[in-house]
Amino acid sequence: MLVLSRKKNESIVINDEITIVVVEIRGDKVRLGVEAPREVPVHRREVYEAIQRSQNGNAKVETTENETDEERP
């Protein structure tokens, strides 16, 4: 795992098409903004795992495509 340090408003670029920006730091919480092409699914880990369980038939979980805390522009 690559570990990087970033401050508020600093970013990380992945493969020329995904940018992750530190939007806010409040106590032990960090808010991240993700800019990615629409065809690249972006989910929080717990949502991703629920989708995987649902696809494997281990649990029935209703999710929306590209569920996010905030809508992409």
Side-chain angles (χ1 to χ4, degrees), residues 6-23:
R6 300 278 73 202
K7 295 178 181 178
K8 185 175 177 182
N9 297 320
E10 293 184 334
S11 61
I12 297 166
V13 177
I14 301 170
N15 199 31
D16 293 328
E17 57 183 23
I18 300 170
T19 301
I20 300 178
V21 180
V22 177
V23 175

Side-chain angles (χ1 to χ4, degrees), residues 8-55:
K8 185 175 177 182
N9 297 320
E10 293 184 334
S11 61
I12 297 166
V13 177
I14 301 170
N15 199 31
D16 293 328
E17 57 183 23
I18 300 170
T19 301
I20 300 178
V21 180
V22 177
V23 175
E24 181 179 30
I25 303 169
R26 193 181 296 175
D28 64 345
K29 288 194 174 192
V30 177
R31 293 189 69 199
L32 301 174
V34 179
E35 297 174 11
R38 282 253 175 234
E39 62 272 8
V40 175
V42 178
H43 302 287
R44 296 184 318 267
R45 162 89 50 200
E46 62 275 14
V47 172
Y48 173 79
E49 290 172 352
I51 292 168
Q52 294 301 306
R53 284 192 306 273
S54 176
Q55 290 176 349

